Amino acid sequence: MTARLTGIDHREVLRYLGYGGHAVPADAEADIARCAETVRRTARPRAVWRRFELLPDGTLAGTGFRPAGEDIRAHLSGCEAAVLMAATLGGEIDALLRRTQVTSMADAVLLDACASAATENVCNNLCADLERELAPLHLTDRFSPGYGDLPLSQQADLFRVLDVTRRIGVTLTDSGLMLPQKTVTAILGLSPAPAKKRARACDTCTLYATCLYRKDGKTCGTI
């Protein structure tokens, strides 16, 4: 299954930039469009996923990996299997951001927001492809290490089970940071019945664990 970047949602970019419902100056709109095109040209998305049966105690069969916490247990309630996934825009985006931070911090901020929205698009496309491939079962929302009481430390288990570094070139630092940074990992449930989707909020955002707005006590404008 090929990772696909099919577009960069302008509304998502504005949320990451903190505009919310505020009007955007015309010159800023032009700069955002320019940076979005740069991200589209530069990104080299890659993804990996695997399906596992769920044992009664919540362990993913054959892995020894048992996602910890009550939140993920509730998330997978009623599911007969789970999917682990990882998706990245590739190291080319990190290199682009580093170069741009030297020449123009304003552009670097716009590129970062566009890259975050692009990451969301790649993840959404992967989930849509999985939904079709795994039918008639239904996917839940994505649930990533660092959400709720699912420990960020379990990122290492997910990397081990999916062999993320070898398969898509993403590494995990001792502090839990993924490199390239525009990378998402997640656990999804597979249920016989359609799963109710969660309302959007900071603690359900794909980029919760690495969000700079949240670390500064702010939001991107989504909530």
Side-chain angles (χ1 to χ4, degrees), residues 38-140:
T38 300
V39 168
R40 279 194 292 267
R41 291 197 313 267
T42 306
R44 299 292 183 270
R46 301 178 71 186
V48 59
W49 68 276
R50 286 182 64 189
R51 170 184 172 167
F52 303 91
E53 299 305 309
L54 279 172
L55 301 180
D57 68 350
T59 299
L60 278 61
T63 69
F65 174 31
R66 180 185 178 188
E70 294 303 315
D71 292 332
I72 188 64
R73 182 179 294 274
H75 188 73
L76 297 177
S77 176
C79 295
E80 60 186 51
V83 170
L84 299 187
M85 59 159 280
T88 183
L89 290 190
E92 294 83 356
I93 291 293
D94 278 20
L96 170 67
L97 292 173
R98 288 193 298 270
R99 291 195 304 270
T100 308
Q101 285 166 1
V102 174
T103 59
S104 172
M105 278 306 300
D107 273 5
V109 170
L110 296 179
L111 287 167
D112 185 82
C114 291
S116 294
T119 306
E120 186 72 12
N121 176 265
V122 171
C123 290
N124 289 342
N125 286 336
L126 177 61
C127 289
D129 291 343
L130 287 171
E131 189 91 52
R132 286 189 292 270
E133 178 155 330
L134 299 172
L137 294 177
H138 301 271
L139 283 175
T140 66

Side-chain angles (χ1 to χ4, degrees), residues 178-193:
M178 294 184 288
L179 299 172
Q181 293 191 53
K182 297 306 178 184
T183 300
V184 168
T185 61
I187 303 169
L188 304 93
L190 274 171
S191 171

